[in-house]
Amino acid sequence: MKSIVILGSTGSIGTQCLDVIRQHKDRFRVLGLAAGTNGRLLAKQVEEFRPQVCGLVEAKEPLPLPANWDGGFLSGPDVLSTLATLPGADMVVVATVGATGLDPTLQAIASGKDIAIANKEVLVMAGELAIAEARKHAVRLLPIDSEHSAVLQCLTAGRREDVQSIILTASGGPFRRWDMERIPYATPEDALAHPTWDMGPKITIDSATMFNKGLEIIEAHHLFDLPVERIRVLIHPQSIVHSMVEYCDGSVIAQLGTTDMRTPIQLALSYPERLSAPAEPLDLAQLAELEFLEPDMERYPCLELARDAAHTGGTMPAFLSVVNEELVAAFLGHRIGFGAIPDLMAQAMERHTPIRDYSLQTIHETDREARMVARGLMGG
Ligand code: MG
């Protein structure tokens, strides 16, 4: 029986993680649940999973918690940190979004919890710190991202020193076939219509700009200790091949599956064991074809910018990731257009002087600087 804490239990990954646990109640026990603002759904989850502790970061109204539940309820800014270090937890699922997950993840690692990480910005912002801490405390850092889960599986086919490259696949998002002139005027509704994956709003916008794939290059670089130059991206519109590893003898190993996040979530929870399928099985005979295309950098300028940030290294990826968070929030709030995202991102990058050897404090300062620069560029 593995005791699990979920940070971000009411979001897209959090709810799918609970669905996996629901199917394997004999293997996993929910010890703690933390959510941001959705108290109503959190209360429902408490009713079903009976955790020891639950917490809501922003409690605007009293929670309709079940009367016959004797667990503890917390609210306020320390909820994520408290849940991340909960005594008795074997694993912490980090399903938060953006910079929010950074401190709680590092705290969970320091208290010896295995980590299943969906919050890719944590690795983008402070990958060196997270990996070093995980090594120091001998904890597992398991990716929930479908591409990285695929790479983890493909890496079992050979020796690390024989790996030539990692090939991350990308669906290309909703604008893959749009006229280039129309893309800058896309609305949040257009960008939220992802062709293959059902995900939260921030990551769906990042998929439309393909900044998401840039974040994943940096994530893979840290998780699998491979130089950025050896991590390639291919557009694969069907999203069936979740990623590949190429070995020095020319063999390419791929992992295939349906587009259901419960598969990588479940593998992160049970790794290295495999449990019965959480999703519909893949029916290859139903697929007419699998295509692979080189990404067009003119169509996806944010991918190029993310790659530049990855090459620069130091605090640049953290800076760019936070700038992007601000821009995506503004786009979703109809305050800037879709075309402004890459433009303002490029302008912001010119204003940051990256610091090479960073500490957590440096990253926090970079976070504040990035938000100020982004807001300044948006005119407020
Ligand atoms: Mg992904």
Side-chain angles (χ1 to χ4, degrees):
M1 204 66 164
K2 201 179 266 186
S3 292
I4 310 244
V5 165
I6 304 175
L7 308 181
S9 68
T10 57
S12 171
I13 295 291
T15 52
Q16 293 183 82
C17 183
L18 285 171
D19 194 36
V20 166
I21 294 175
R22 189 180 285 124
Q23 295 182 43
H24 296 285
K25 281 200 168 135
D26 52 327
R27 302 296 305 267
F28 308 115
R29 184 165 73 101
V30 177
L31 198 70
L33 294 173
T37 55
N38 193 344
R40 222 163 264 278
L41 181 54
L42 180 65
K44 273 196 189 132
Q45 294 176 340
V46 168
E47 176 136 39
E48 180 180 357
F49 293 95
R50 324 293 295 182
Q52 210 176 75
V53 185
C54 82
L56 194 63
V57 178
E58 277 179 55
K60 290 180 190 124
E61 47 185 11
L63 236 59
L65 289 164
N68 60 352
W69 172 68
D70 57 4
F73 170 68
L74 308 164
S75 67
D78 296 332
V79 160
L80 295 175
S81 298
T82 308
L83 272 285
T85 55
L86 198 64
D90 301 309
M91 175 176 260
V92 174
V93 178
V94 185
T96 40
V97 179
T100 321
L102 181 58
D103 288 18
T105 305
L106 292 171
Q107 288 156 351
I109 294 173
S111 58
K113 319 289 188 200
D114 282 337
I115 308 290
I117 192 153
N119 191 165
K120 64 188 74 178
E121 292 88 345
V122 171
L123 287 166
V124 169
M125 291 180 71
E128 282 93 350
L129 292 181
I131 299 291
E133 280 290 288
R135 208 162 284 155
K136 182 173 150 200
H137 298 280
V139 305
R140 277 185 167 145
L141 199 51
L142 293 157
I144 282 182
D145 213 344
S146 60
E147 293 79 358
H148 303 78
S149 178
V151 171
L152 181 73
Q153 296 173 65
C154 298
L155 283 174
T156 59
R159 301 186 308 173
R160 286 300 170 100
E161 55 266 45
D162 297 333
V163 170
Q164 188 65 39
S165 65
I166 286 175
I167 303 163
L168 300 175
T169 53
S171 71
F175 306 137
R176 188 172 65 87
R177 288 189 211 262
W178 273 40
D179 282 341
M180 293 279 275
E181 298 70 37
R182 256 182 86 202
I183 297 175
Y185 306 100
T187 65
E189 292 69 33
D190 295 327
L192 285 170
H194 197 276
T196 50
W197 289 101
D198 179 15
M199 304 176 289
K202 198 260 177 185
I203 187 171
T204 306
I205 301 303
D206 286 348
S207 297
T209 61
M210 260 181 86
F211 188 67
N212 180 55
K213 213 46 60 177
L215 293 176
E216 289 180 356
I217 291 173
I218 305 169
E219 189 185 3
H221 158 67
H222 291 302
L223 277 173
F224 307 117
D225 194 22
L226 205 68
V228 171
E229 299 74 37
R230 283 162 63 187
I231 305 171
R232 292 176 54 206
V233 170
L234 278 182
I235 304 255
H236 168 46
Q238 293 80 17
S239 302
I240 295 297
V241 173
H242 296 316
S243 278
M244 298 173 259
V245 171
E246 182 190 19
Y247 286 90
C248 59
D249 63 353
S251 286
V252 177
I253 309 293
Q255 186 260 342
L256 286 71
T258 52
T259 52
D260 193 314
M261 282 307 293
R262 289 174 300 177
T263 310
I265 292 170
Q266 180 171 295
L267 187 65
L269 296 191
S270 69
Y271 194 84
E273 246 186 282
R274 289 180 187 269
L275 307 179
S276 60
E280 285 295 304
L282 178 64
D283 186 354
L284 280 173
Q286 285 290 318
L287 295 164
E289 58 182 354
L290 298 178
E291 299 167 273
F292 300 94
L293 314 141
E294 207 67 58
D296 171 0
M297 288 302 182
E298 263 181 68
R299 186 173 290 271
Y300 303 111
C302 291
L303 175 59
E304 187 82 335
L305 292 170
R307 220 182 234 293
D308 289 348
H311 278 290
T312 306
T315 50
M316 191 57 100
F319 178 83
L320 191 61
S321 176
V322 174
V323 164
N324 175 64
E325 246 181 70
E326 290 287 323
L327 299 178
V328 169
F331 171 65
L332 285 170
H334 298 268
R335 298 194 299 279
I336 61 168
F338 190 75
I341 298 176
D343 291 349
L344 296 179
M345 215 181 244
Q347 288 178 44
M349 272 176 88
E350 282 172 22
R351 301 186 187 201
H352 180 62
T353 309
I355 298 162
R356 197 135 301 278
D357 293 309
Y358 60 79
S359 63
L360 184 57
Q361 196 194 333
T362 322
I363 296 296
H364 284 152
E365 284 158 13
T366 303
D367 181 304
R368 279 193 291 276
E369 180 199 333
R371 290 186 204 280
M372 257 172 53
V373 168
R375 286 167 197 175
L377 287 170
M378 290 187 286

mmCIF file of all heavy atoms in Angstrom, residues 279-318:
data_model
loop_
_atom_site.group_PDB
_atom_site.id
_atom_site.type_symbol
_atom_site.label_atom_id
_atom_site.label_comp_id
_atom_site.label_asym_id
_atom_site.label_seq_id
_atom_site.Cartn_x
_atom_site.Cartn_y
_atom_site.Cartn_z
ATOM 1 N N ALA A 279 -6.785 2.952 -19.073
ATOM 2 C CA ALA A 279 -7.481 3.607 -20.188
ATOM 3 C C ALA A 279 -7.785 2.574 -21.261
ATOM 4 O O ALA A 279 -7.358 1.429 -21.181
ATOM 5 C CB ALA A 279 -6.583 4.702 -20.746
ATOM 6 N N GLU A 280 -8.505 3.010 -22.292
ATOM 7 C CA GLU A 280 -8.807 2.151 -23.438
ATOM 8 C C GLU A 280 -7.509 1.646 -24.061
ATOM 9 O O GLU A 280 -6.559 2.409 -24.198
ATOM 10 C CB GLU A 280 -9.566 2.960 -24.503
ATOM 11 C CG GLU A 280 -11.026 3.224 -24.163
ATOM 12 C CD GLU A 280 -11.841 1.949 -24.116
ATOM 13 O OE1 GLU A 280 -11.851 1.222 -25.114
ATOM 14 O OE2 GLU A 280 -12.448 1.682 -23.061
ATOM 15 N N PRO A 281 -7.459 0.370 -24.483
ATOM 16 C CA PRO A 281 -6.232 -0.101 -25.133
ATOM 17 C C PRO A 281 -6.068 0.524 -26.520
ATOM 18 O O PRO A 281 -7.040 0.967 -27.126
ATOM 19 C CB PRO A 281 -6.443 -1.611 -25.241
ATOM 20 C CG PRO A 281 -7.912 -1.824 -25.119
ATOM 21 C CD PRO A 281 -8.472 -0.672 -24.343
ATOM 22 N N LEU A 282 -4.840 0.555 -26.992
ATOM 23 C CA LEU A 282 -4.530 1.132 -28.306
ATOM 24 C C LEU A 282 -4.882 0.119 -29.387
ATOM 25 O O LEU A 282 -4.492 -1.050 -29.308
ATOM 26 C CB LEU A 282 -3.037 1.470 -28.354
ATOM 27 C CG LEU A 282 -2.492 2.050 -29.652
ATOM 28 C CD1 LEU A 282 -3.120 3.397 -29.952
ATOM 29 C CD2 LEU A 282 -0.969 2.182 -29.559
ATOM 30 N N ASP A 283 -5.626 0.581 -30.392
ATOM 31 C CA ASP A 283 -5.984 -0.293 -31.504
ATOM 32 C C ASP A 283 -5.268 0.205 -32.758
ATOM 33 O O ASP A 283 -5.757 1.083 -33.467
ATOM 34 C CB ASP A 283 -7.509 -0.265 -31.693
ATOM 35 C CG ASP A 283 -7.969 -1.268 -32.745
ATOM 36 O OD1 ASP A 283 -7.099 -1.892 -33.393
ATOM 37 O OD2 ASP A 283 -9.188 -1.420 -32.921
ATOM 38 N N LEU A 284 -4.075 -0.355 -33.003
ATOM 39 C CA LEU A 284 -3.244 0.135 -34.108
ATOM 40 C C LEU A 284 -3.909 -0.056 -35.469
ATOM 41 O O LEU A 284 -3.727 0.746 -36.374
ATOM 42 C CB LEU A 284 -1.879 -0.556 -34.090
ATOM 43 C CG LEU A 284 -0.880 0.018 -33.088
ATOM 44 C CD1 LEU A 284 0.367 -0.848 -33.041
ATOM 45 C CD2 LEU A 284 -0.504 1.448 -33.423
ATOM 46 N N ALA A 285 -4.699 -1.115 -35.609
ATOM 47 C CA ALA A 285 -5.350 -1.384 -36.897
ATOM 48 C C ALA A 285 -6.369 -0.300 -37.250
ATOM 49 O O ALA A 285 -6.708 -0.100 -38.409
ATOM 50 C CB ALA A 285 -6.011 -2.751 -36.861
ATOM 51 N N GLN A 286 -6.858 0.420 -36.225
ATOM 52 C CA GLN A 286 -7.817 1.500 -36.465
ATOM 53 C C GLN A 286 -7.149 2.767 -37.007
ATOM 54 O O GLN A 286 -7.817 3.669 -37.493
ATOM 55 C CB GLN A 286 -8.531 1.861 -35.148
ATOM 56 C CG GLN A 286 -9.574 0.856 -34.707
ATOM 57 C CD GLN A 286 -10.789 0.867 -35.611
ATOM 58 O OE1 GLN A 286 -11.268 1.920 -36.004
ATOM 59 N NE2 GLN A 286 -11.271 -0.302 -35.975
ATOM 60 N N LEU A 287 -5.833 2.842 -36.871
ATOM 61 C CA LEU A 287 -5.125 4.058 -37.283
ATOM 62 C C LEU A 287 -4.718 3.934 -38.747
ATOM 63 O O LEU A 287 -4.088 2.972 -39.140
ATOM 64 C CB LEU A 287 -3.862 4.244 -36.433
ATOM 65 C CG LEU A 287 -4.095 4.502 -34.954
ATOM 66 C CD1 LEU A 287 -2.823 4.276 -34.187
ATOM 67 C CD2 LEU A 287 -4.614 5.904 -34.745
ATOM 68 N N ALA A 288 -5.097 4.914 -39.532
ATOM 69 C CA ALA A 288 -4.750 4.865 -40.951
ATOM 70 C C ALA A 288 -3.252 5.092 -41.130
ATOM 71 O O ALA A 288 -2.591 4.400 -41.892
ATOM 72 C CB ALA A 288 -5.534 5.912 -41.714
ATOM 73 N N GLU A 289 -2.695 6.078 -40.421
ATOM 74 C CA GLU A 289 -1.272 6.378 -40.607
ATOM 75 C C GLU A 289 -0.697 7.142 -39.415
ATOM 76 O O GLU A 289 -1.431 7.751 -38.639
ATOM 77 C CB GLU A 289 -1.071 7.188 -41.877
ATOM 78 C CG GLU A 289 -1.849 8.484 -41.878
ATOM 79 C CD GLU A 289 -1.671 9.268 -43.179
ATOM 80 O OE1 GLU A 289 -0.864 8.855 -44.034
ATOM 81 O OE2 GLU A 289 -2.325 10.307 -43.320
ATOM 82 N N LEU A 290 0.607 7.065 -39.315
ATOM 83 C CA LEU A 290 1.344 7.848 -38.318
ATOM 84 C C LEU A 290 2.291 8.759 -39.093
ATOM 85 O O LEU A 290 3.123 8.278 -39.856
ATOM 86 C CB LEU A 290 2.136 6.932 -37.384
ATOM 87 C CG LEU A 290 1.343 5.953 -36.522
ATOM 88 C CD1 LEU A 290 2.288 5.093 -35.685
ATOM 89 C CD2 LEU A 290 0.375 6.682 -35.600
ATOM 90 N N GLU A 291 2.158 10.086 -38.903
ATOM 91 C CA GLU A 291 3.022 11.034 -39.628
ATOM 92 C C GLU A 291 4.044 11.654 -38.679
ATOM 93 O O GLU A 291 3.755 11.864 -37.501
ATOM 94 C CB GLU A 291 2.192 12.200 -40.164
ATOM 95 C CG GLU A 291 1.114 11.892 -41.133
ATOM 96 C CD GLU A 291 0.221 13.116 -41.272
ATOM 97 O OE1 GLU A 291 -0.721 13.268 -40.472
ATOM 98 O OE2 GLU A 291 0.492 13.925 -42.169
ATOM 99 N N PHE A 292 5.200 12.001 -39.237
ATOM 100 C CA PHE A 292 6.241 12.711 -38.492
ATOM 101 C C PHE A 292 6.782 13.831 -39.366
ATOM 102 O O PHE A 292 7.169 13.588 -40.504
ATOM 103 C CB PHE A 292 7.360 11.751 -38.084
ATOM 104 C CG PHE A 292 6.865 10.642 -37.205
ATOM 105 C CD1 PHE A 292 6.479 9.424 -37.743
ATOM 106 C CD2 PHE A 292 6.731 10.840 -35.834
ATOM 107 C CE1 PHE A 292 5.984 8.410 -36.940
ATOM 108 C CE2 PHE A 292 6.236 9.829 -35.022
ATOM 109 C CZ PHE A 292 5.855 8.612 -35.570
ATOM 110 N N LEU A 293 6.780 15.051 -38.823
ATOM 111 C CA LEU A 293 7.218 16.219 -39.600
ATOM 112 C C LEU A 293 8.154 17.088 -38.772
ATOM 113 O O LEU A 293 8.012 17.166 -37.550
ATOM 114 C CB LEU A 293 6.009 17.086 -39.988
ATOM 115 C CG LEU A 293 4.778 16.396 -40.557
ATOM 116 C CD1 LEU A 293 3.511 17.038 -40.040
ATOM 117 C CD2 LEU A 293 4.845 16.438 -42.068
ATOM 118 N N GLU A 294 9.070 17.749 -39.460
ATOM 119 C CA GLU A 294 9.964 18.706 -38.805
ATOM 120 C C GLU A 294 9.131 19.953 -38.418
ATOM 121 O O GLU A 294 8.339 20.420 -39.221
ATOM 122 C CB GLU A 294 11.044 19.100 -39.823
ATOM 123 C CG GLU A 294 12.362 19.524 -39.243
ATOM 124 C CD GLU A 294 13.106 18.402 -38.539
ATOM 125 O OE1 GLU A 294 13.389 17.361 -39.174
ATOM 126 O OE2 GLU A 294 13.409 18.594 -37.355
ATOM 127 N N PRO A 295 9.271 20.479 -37.187
ATOM 128 C CA PRO A 295 8.477 21.669 -36.839
ATOM 129 C C PRO A 295 8.944 22.911 -37.611
ATOM 130 O O PRO A 295 10.130 23.107 -37.811
ATOM 131 C CB PRO A 295 8.707 21.842 -35.334
ATOM 132 C CG PRO A 295 9.932 21.073 -35.012
ATOM 133 C CD PRO A 295 10.085 20.000 -36.058
ATOM 134 N N ASP A 296 8.000 23.721 -38.039
ATOM 135 C CA ASP A 296 8.280 24.954 -38.763
ATOM 136 C C ASP A 296 8.465 26.080 -37.731
ATOM 137 O O ASP A 296 7.520 26.471 -37.046
ATOM 138 C CB ASP A 296 7.068 25.224 -39.679
ATOM 139 C CG ASP A 296 7.119 26.594 -40.337
ATOM 140 O OD1 ASP A 296 8.079 27.347 -40.090
ATOM 141 O OD2 ASP A 296 6.180 26.893 -41.108
ATOM 142 N N MET A 297 9.689 26.547 -37.596
ATOM 143 C CA MET A 297 10.008 27.515 -36.545
ATOM 144 C C MET A 297 9.321 28.870 -36.749
ATOM 145 O O MET A 297 9.147 29.628 -35.820
ATOM 146 C CB MET A 297 11.517 27.704 -36.424
ATOM 147 C CG MET A 297 12.197 26.505 -35.808
ATOM 148 S SD MET A 297 11.547 26.098 -34.153
ATOM 149 C CE MET A 297 12.582 24.723 -33.732
ATOM 150 N N GLU A 298 8.945 29.179 -37.991
ATOM 151 C CA GLU A 298 8.225 30.438 -38.228
ATOM 152 C C GLU A 298 6.817 30.364 -37.652
ATOM 153 O O GLU A 298 6.265 31.348 -37.182
ATOM 154 C CB GLU A 298 8.136 30.699 -39.730
ATOM 155 C CG GLU A 298 9.216 31.640 -40.210
ATOM 156 C CD GLU A 298 9.080 31.882 -41.692
ATOM 157 O OE1 GLU A 298 8.089 32.518 -42.106
ATOM 158 O OE2 GLU A 298 9.948 31.379 -42.430
ATOM 159 N N ARG A 299 6.261 29.170 -37.701
ATOM 160 C CA ARG A 299 4.919 28.967 -37.166
ATOM 161 C C ARG A 299 4.939 28.926 -35.637
ATOM 162 O O ARG A 299 3.974 29.296 -34.981
ATOM 163 C CB ARG A 299 4.352 27.650 -37.727
ATOM 164 C CG ARG A 299 2.914 27.364 -37.365
ATOM 165 C CD ARG A 299 2.393 26.147 -38.095
ATOM 166 N NE ARG A 299 2.225 26.396 -39.520
ATOM 167 C CZ ARG A 299 1.114 26.869 -40.087
ATOM 168 N NH1 ARG A 299 0.054 27.109 -39.341
ATOM 169 N NH2 ARG A 299 1.054 27.083 -41.373
ATOM 170 N N TYR A 300 6.058 28.451 -35.088
ATOM 171 C CA TYR A 300 6.147 28.264 -33.627
ATOM 172 C C TYR A 300 7.341 29.017 -33.040
ATOM 173 O O TYR A 300 8.284 28.395 -32.538
ATOM 174 C CB TYR A 300 6.272 26.772 -33.306
ATOM 175 C CG TYR A 300 5.143 25.920 -33.846
ATOM 176 C CD1 TYR A 300 5.361 25.009 -34.874
ATOM 177 C CD2 TYR A 300 3.855 26.012 -33.305
ATOM 178 C CE1 TYR A 300 4.335 24.208 -35.367
ATOM 179 C CE2 TYR A 300 2.824 25.216 -33.800
ATOM 180 C CZ TYR A 300 3.067 24.318 -34.825
ATOM 181 O OH TYR A 300 2.049 23.533 -35.299
ATOM 182 N N PRO A 301 7.327 30.369 -33.093
ATOM 183 C CA PRO A 301 8.495 31.121 -32.601
ATOM 184 C C PRO A 301 8.801 30.862 -31.119
ATOM 185 O O PRO A 301 9.954 30.965 -30.705
ATOM 186 C CB PRO A 301 8.121 32.589 -32.845
ATOM 187 C CG PRO A 301 6.641 32.597 -33.045
ATOM 188 C CD PRO A 301 6.265 31.261 -33.598
ATOM 189 N N CYS A 302 7.783 30.522 -30.329
ATOM 190 C CA CYS A 302 8.015 30.305 -28.889
ATOM 191 C C CYS A 302 8.896 29.082 -28.649
ATOM 192 O O CYS A 302 9.621 29.022 -27.655
ATOM 193 C CB CYS A 302 6.699 30.143 -28.135
ATOM 194 S SG CYS A 302 5.740 31.651 -28.070
ATOM 195 N N LEU A 303 8.837 28.111 -29.549
ATOM 196 C CA LEU A 303 9.681 26.924 -29.410
ATOM 197 C C LEU A 303 11.149 27.308 -29.585
ATOM 198 O O LEU A 303 12.016 26.873 -28.832
ATOM 199 C CB LEU A 303 9.255 25.860 -30.437
ATOM 200 C CG LEU A 303 10.112 24.591 -30.518
ATOM 201 C CD1 LEU A 303 10.159 23.858 -29.181
ATOM 202 C CD2 LEU A 303 9.578 23.652 -31.606
ATOM 203 N N GLU A 304 11.396 28.150 -30.582
ATOM 204 C CA GLU A 304 12.753 28.636 -30.838
ATOM 205 C C GLU A 304 13.271 29.450 -29.636
ATOM 206 O O GLU A 304 14.418 29.291 -29.217
ATOM 207 C CB GLU A 304 12.726 29.493 -32.111
ATOM 208 C CG GLU A 304 14.084 29.929 -32.611
ATOM 209 C CD GLU A 304 14.799 28.861 -33.435
ATOM 210 O OE1 GLU A 304 14.497 27.673 -33.245
ATOM 211 O OE2 GLU A 304 15.667 29.237 -34.226
ATOM 212 N N LEU A 305 12.415 30.299 -29.077
ATOM 213 C CA LEU A 305 12.815 31.117 -27.927
ATOM 214 C C LEU A 305 13.138 30.227 -26.719
ATOM 215 O O LEU A 305 14.106 30.474 -25.998
ATOM 216 C CB LEU A 305 11.708 32.113 -27.568
ATOM 217 C CG LEU A 305 11.479 33.227 -28.606
ATOM 218 C CD1 LEU A 305 10.206 34.009 -28.285
ATOM 219 C CD2 LEU A 305 12.684 34.174 -28.653
ATOM 220 N N ALA A 306 12.343 29.200 -26.515
ATOM 221 C CA ALA A 306 12.594 28.284 -25.397
ATOM 222 C C ALA A 306 13.915 27.553 -25.600
ATOM 223 O O ALA A 306 14.686 27.352 -24.655
ATOM 224 C CB ALA A 306 11.457 27.284 -25.256
ATOM 225 N N ARG A 307 14.193 27.168 -26.845
ATOM 226 C CA ARG A 307 15.452 26.495 -27.149
ATOM 227 C C ARG A 307 16.647 27.431 -26.875
ATOM 228 O O ARG A 307 17.649 27.020 -26.307
ATOM 229 C CB ARG A 307 15.459 26.042 -28.616
ATOM 230 C CG ARG A 307 16.078 24.689 -28.798
ATOM 231 C CD ARG A 307 16.103 24.299 -30.242
ATOM 232 N NE ARG A 307 15.479 23.008 -30.479
ATOM 233 C CZ ARG A 307 15.960 21.837 -30.035
ATOM 234 N NH1 ARG A 307 17.056 21.785 -29.311
ATOM 235 N NH2 ARG A 307 15.344 20.723 -30.296
ATOM 236 N N ASP A 308 16.489 28.707 -27.271
ATOM 237 C CA ASP A 308 17.532 29.701 -26.984
ATOM 238 C C ASP A 308 17.776 29.795 -25.477
ATOM 239 O O ASP A 308 18.916 29.831 -25.021
ATOM 240 C CB ASP A 308 17.119 31.096 -27.489
ATOM 241 C CG ASP A 308 17.140 31.184 -29.008
ATOM 242 O OD1 ASP A 308 17.689 30.260 -29.650
ATOM 243 O OD2 ASP A 308 16.604 32.170 -29.553
ATOM 244 N N ALA A 309 16.686 29.854 -24.715
ATOM 245 C CA ALA A 309 16.802 29.953 -23.249
ATOM 246 C C ALA A 309 17.497 28.716 -22.691
ATOM 247 O O ALA A 309 18.325 28.814 -21.780
ATOM 248 C CB ALA A 309 15.428 30.125 -22.616
ATOM 249 N N ALA A 310 17.186 27.567 -23.259
ATOM 250 C CA ALA A 310 17.807 26.320 -22.806
ATOM 251 C C ALA A 310 19.310 26.350 -23.073
ATOM 252 O O ALA A 310 20.108 25.941 -22.230
ATOM 253 C CB ALA A 310 17.168 25.136 -23.509
ATOM 254 N N HIS A 311 19.718 26.859 -24.242
ATOM 255 C CA HIS A 311 21.134 26.962 -24.573
ATOM 256 C C HIS A 311 21.842 27.947 -23.644
ATOM 257 O O HIS A 311 22.958 27.698 -23.198
ATOM 258 C CB HIS A 311 21.314 27.417 -26.024
ATOM 259 C CG HIS A 311 21.201 26.289 -27.000
ATOM 260 N ND1 HIS A 311 22.157 25.303 -27.092
ATOM 261 C CD2 HIS A 311 20.241 25.978 -27.906
ATOM 262 C CE1 HIS A 311 21.772 24.437 -28.013
ATOM 263 N NE2 HIS A 311 20.617 24.813 -28.516
ATOM 264 N N THR A 312 21.185 29.064 -23.356
ATOM 265 C CA THR A 312 21.775 30.064 -22.457
ATOM 266 C C THR A 312 21.933 29.471 -21.061
ATOM 267 O O THR A 312 22.962 29.643 -20.420
ATOM 268 C CB THR A 312 20.879 31.322 -22.411
ATOM 269 O OG1 THR A 312 20.674 31.768 -23.750
ATOM 270 C CG2 THR A 312 21.508 32.415 -21.579
ATOM 271 N N GLY A 313 20.908 28.778 -20.595
ATOM 272 C CA GLY A 313 20.954 28.114 -19.288
ATOM 273 C C GLY A 313 20.921 29.093 -18.135
ATOM 274 O O GLY A 313 20.441 30.222 -18.275
ATOM 275 N N GLY A 314 21.447 28.683 -16.972
ATOM 276 C CA GLY A 314 21.405 29.507 -15.761
ATOM 277 C C GLY A 314 19.967 29.835 -15.405
ATOM 278 O O GLY A 314 19.098 28.966 -15.427
ATOM 279 N N THR A 315 19.725 31.134 -15.117
ATOM 280 C CA THR A 315 18.368 31.545 -14.727
ATOM 281 C C THR A 315 17.474 31.872 -15.922
ATOM 282 O O THR A 315 16.312 32.220 -15.733
ATOM 283 C CB THR A 315 18.425 32.782 -13.806
ATOM 284 O OG1 THR A 315 19.260 33.768 -14.441
ATOM 285 C CG2 THR A 315 18.983 32.435 -12.437
ATOM 286 N N MET A 316 18.006 31.799 -17.164
ATOM 287 C CA MET A 316 17.186 32.189 -18.319
ATOM 288 C C MET A 316 15.928 31.331 -18.493
ATOM 289 O O MET A 316 14.848 31.874 -18.727
ATOM 290 C CB MET A 316 18.038 32.217 -19.595
ATOM 291 C CG MET A 316 17.329 32.855 -20.778
ATOM 292 S SD MET A 316 16.752 34.563 -20.474
ATOM 293 C CE MET A 316 18.056 35.497 -21.293
ATOM 294 N N PRO A 317 16.020 29.995 -18.383
ATOM 295 C CA PRO A 317 14.786 29.212 -18.509
ATOM 296 C C PRO A 317 13.737 29.585 -17.454
ATOM 297 O O PRO A 317 12.545 29.674 -17.769
ATOM 298 C CB PRO A 317 15.251 27.760 -18.334
ATOM 299 C CG PRO A 317 16.680 27.779 -18.763
ATOM 300 C CD PRO A 317 17.208 29.114 -18.303
ATOM 301 N N ALA A 318 14.161 29.817 -16.217
ATOM 302 C CA ALA A 318 13.227 30.209 -15.150
ATOM 303 C C ALA A 318 12.575 31.540 -15.510
ATOM 304 O O ALA A 318 11.352 31.705 -15.421
ATOM 305 C CB ALA A 318 13.960 30.329 -13.816
#
